[in-house]
Amino acid sequence: MTHTTYSFADVSFTMSHPAVGSFTFTGEGVGTITVTMANDVTQHDLAADGSVMVSKILAGNGSIALAIQQTSAGHKWLKKWYNYVKGAPTAEWAKASAVLKNPQLGDQITMSGISPQKRADVGFQAAGQQVTWNMMATTING
């Protein structure tokens, strides 16, 4: 019987911005990383006679959701990045890029034109928790 293996320890997510520097998320304080494409890449048009016209749509934008512990170094870096782009000239807003890698599975996803969808929500309670950073990317490949 064959088996496969997976470990989040094999995953790295490196985000960078020319004015803020870069940070590599390697599992420390990370809960989940989700990359979502925003649009369908195919569409079907059905004619009255039943024939189907298939359209290939070149869409590559999407979103990134990064759930991390509120005390993590990654959360601190994202707050620094957010505060910088919020107050910087508009040209700086979407200059961030990222690479998500899992060599064990052969996955590499590159993202560019990243901007914050909003600052992560902040909650305070008896126990610490995760916060989710939602970002948008103009281009996602991989």
Side-chain angles (χ1 to χ4, degrees):
M1 176 181 273
T2 62
H3 70 278
T4 60
T5 58
Y6 168 82
S7 173
F8 192 70
D10 296 329
V11 176
S12 68
F13 179 81
T14 301
M15 187 168 163
S16 60
H17 186 283
V20 183
S22 65
F23 188 87
T24 299
F25 301 81
T26 56
E28 180 184 345
V30 177
T32 59
I33 304 169
T34 305
V35 178
T36 305
M37 300 304 292
N39 298 289
D40 295 337
V41 294
T42 193
Q43 186 174 349
H44 290 187
D45 181 78
L46 181 63
D49 67 355
S51 62
V52 177
M53 176 181 60
V54 179
S55 294
K56 177 182 176 183
I57 303 167
L58 299 176
N61 64 309
S63 61
I64 307 147
L66 183 59
I68 55 178
Q69 292 175 339
Q70 69 187 101
T71 58
S72 69
H75 178 54
K76 291 174 185 154
W77 188 88
L78 287 166
K79 288 191 296 185
K80 176 182 168 184
W81 164 68
Y82 174 81
N83 288 329
Y84 170 76
V85 297
K86 184 177 158 192
T90 304
E92 296 290 308
W93 185 251
K95 283 189 176 179
S97 60
V99 178
L100 177 63
K101 294 181 185 178
N102 184 335
Q104 181 69 21
L105 299 178
D107 290 334
Q108 179 168 309
I109 301 171
T110 59
M111 296 150 271
S112 61
I114 298 173
S115 58
Q117 189 170 2
K118 66 174 193 161
R119 188 191 187 286
D121 294 335
V122 179
F124 298 95
Q125 58 195 33
Q129 59 187 354
Q130 292 185 0
V131 295
T132 301
W133 282 89
N134 293 302
M135 300 167 271
M136 300 182 86
T138 60
T139 306
I140 300 173
N141 289 306

